[in-house]
Amino acid sequence: MGGQSFQGGPDRVIAARFPAAFDLPAGRVRVGGDASMAEFTPVPPLDENTPIAVEITVRQGKAVATARRTGMLLLPTIIVPGYLSDMAGKPDAGILSAFEQRGYRSQGPSPDLFWFTYPSRSLGLREASQALSTYVREVVLPTTYAARVNVIGYSLGGLLVRWNLAFDDGWDHLVNRFVMVGVPNEGTVLSYVGTWYPIAAPWARTSAARNMLPTFPFWRPAPGAPWTFPPDAQNTALIELNTHPLPEGIRAYAFYGNQQPDAEGRGTWAGVTGRLPRPGFASGAGDGVVLVASALGLPINGGDGVPGLADRLVMQRDLGPVGHLWLLESAISEIEDVLLGAGVHDQPRPSRDGVERAPTMQPAVQNAPGGRFLISGAR
């Protein structure tokens, strides 16, 4: 950058080390505050990761020393964690450390990695999304020199990002890459069943938990009856969100866990038959909380799915039999590759079965009073 050299007289004494700051808007390299050492073409606010190369030559008499360095100016990346993540009271140090090992900075005067903490037990989907939008505009953008950002949405966090892409003016141009990790795009049956049990009810009855109720038919009164919705499981917020496709200018990626039901039919809940005290549960492929089909917006139990989601993903990544709580940790290395462009092409990739689409739900075995029976998954 600049391609300039600096020469001092023989009577000058130069420190062995001195810091230099790159003033991107002004196109200057400064030392000691305002002293300008070199000029380069001013750089506009970043809308993509930007590689840089710096060469400095020092001459003293006949002695010449040249140093070359290359680097990358990274777009800000915001990690939006899932439901109940605020119970820890602080960001996940292990996750941040893994990103910092790849060149990101979460501390210091020029951070490019941010962790959005929000009170998930007291805010609904709409309110938490507004808090995220405020955080990006009032904290992230003023702290960085960027016109666009990358966002990683884990679980409920991915719904917050989708909400802003759908309803917040400008987010469709603000977001460069959007990485979804185990996002319940069509909700999760666990949010409904949790209200039945006293130990889980305090967390299953919050606004955010209710905003993760399934938007696909998931209940029936008896075996063999068609799938429908129970009267106490309306989720108007997620239904409204799912009428909005992903903006075409967004590069979106989906990472998901894919554990098939075992021989006894135990897996990720896909449906409920009956009620307490003896309900039956239908299972499908997923991470124990979120079905594969929900993470990809595919039809489930005869539902419509999410138009404009799976077909607009540039990559679908099957992480295999990884549980929901460990998805983000398991996917870190590959997410970093996506954000850094390390050998990752922005085009659909085959899933593990070699087919260039998301795997469909497999027929699942349901355990119920009076025996076992098969249900058909979405295809």
Side-chain angles (χ1 to χ4, degrees):
M1 181 177 286
Q4 300 190 26
S5 62
F6 312 96
Q7 184 171 353
D11 57 333
R12 301 285 181 91
V13 177
I14 301 176
R17 291 176 177 270
F18 55 89
F22 289 85
D23 187 337
L24 300 181
R28 294 180 180 274
V29 180
R30 303 182 187 276
V31 295
D34 293 331
S36 179
M37 290 180 58
E39 296 182 355
F40 54 88
T41 302
V43 178
L46 306 182
D47 60 7
E48 182 58 274
N49 296 332
T50 303
I52 61 171
V54 179
E55 178 178 304
I56 297 177
T57 299
V58 178
R59 294 183 175 89
Q60 187 168 8
K62 295 182 179 180
V64 179
T66 298
R68 298 178 180 88
R69 292 291 186 272
T70 59
M72 184 78 71
L73 300 177
L74 299 175
L75 275 189
T77 292
I78 304 129
I79 301 173
V80 187
Y83 185 51
L84 303 181
S85 61
D86 52 311
M87 293 182 68
K90 58 183 179 181
D92 188 312
I95 299 291
L96 295 182
S97 176
F99 277 92
E100 288 168 347
Q101 291 174 21
R102 294 289 294 271
Y104 284 91
R105 300 179 303 276
S106 62
Q107 304 291 331
S110 301
D112 46 34
L113 180 64
F114 300 83
W115 183 282
F116 174 62
T117 300
Y118 60 103
S120 65
R121 289 164 289 171
S122 60
L123 297 180
L125 176 57
R126 184 190 306 269
E127 295 77 19
S129 301
Q130 291 171 346
L132 171 61
S133 181
T134 299
Y135 175 78
V136 171
R137 289 196 165 98
E138 295 185 0
V139 176
V140 176
L141 293 179
T143 307
T144 61
Y145 187 64
R148 305 188 76 184
V149 299
N150 295 325
V151 190
I152 302 167
Y154 165 64
S155 195
L156 172 62
L159 296 182
L160 270 58
V161 180
R162 282 190 56 214
W163 185 276
N164 285 340
L165 288 172
F167 301 113
D168 193 307
D169 289 341
W171 265 66
D172 55 340
H173 298 293
L174 174 66
V175 175
N176 181 34
R177 288 182 171 89
F178 172 31
V179 179
M180 294 183 287
V181 184
V183 177
N185 288 303
E186 297 174 72
T188 168
V189 175
L190 182 63
S191 287
Y192 179 74
V193 175
T195 62
W196 292 355
Y197 301 97
I199 191 172
W203 299 306
R205 291 175 178 166
T206 66
S207 294
R210 300 290 294 177
N211 290 152
M212 290 187 287
L213 288 170
T215 58
F216 57 87
F218 72 97
W219 180 82
R220 57 188 176 185
W227 293 108
T228 184
F229 295 90
D232 57 345
Q234 299 303 309
N235 186 356
T236 57
L238 191 53
I239 289 173
E240 181 183 9
L241 174 59
N242 285 348
T243 63
H244 293 261
L246 287 174
E248 292 186 352
I250 302 296
R251 285 179 281 188
Y253 312 76
F255 291 74
Y256 55 90
N258 186 5
Q259 173 68 60
Q260 298 293 327
D262 63 20
E264 299 299 320
R266 293 184 294 265
T268 304
W269 288 337
V272 182
T273 298
R275 296 184 180 274
L276 290 176
R278 300 187 68 192
F281 295 98
S283 297
D287 60 24
V289 175
V290 178
L291 292 163
V292 170
S294 180
L296 297 173
L298 301 175
I300 305 171
N301 294 342
D304 295 330
V306 183
L309 197 149
D311 57 339
R312 295 192 179 178
L313 297 172
V314 297
M315 188 176 81
Q316 303 171 9
R317 182 65 173 98
D318 179 351
L319 296 172
V322 179
H324 188 74
L325 294 179
W326 295 275
L327 286 176
L328 186 55
E329 179 180 355
S330 175
I332 286 177
S333 178
E334 293 183 67
I335 292 173
E336 292 167 342
D337 288 344
V338 163
L339 298 180
L340 296 173
V344 176
H345 300 287
D346 284 341
Q347 58 187 6
R349 285 190 167 189
S351 60
R352 288 189 173 187
D353 60 5
V355 180
E356 289 199 83
R357 57 172 173 76
T360 58
M361 290 178 58
Q362 301 298 318
V365 177
Q366 172 166 330
N367 293 318
R372 302 191 309 170
F373 54 95
L374 292 175
I375 66 165
S376 295
R379 297 191 179 278

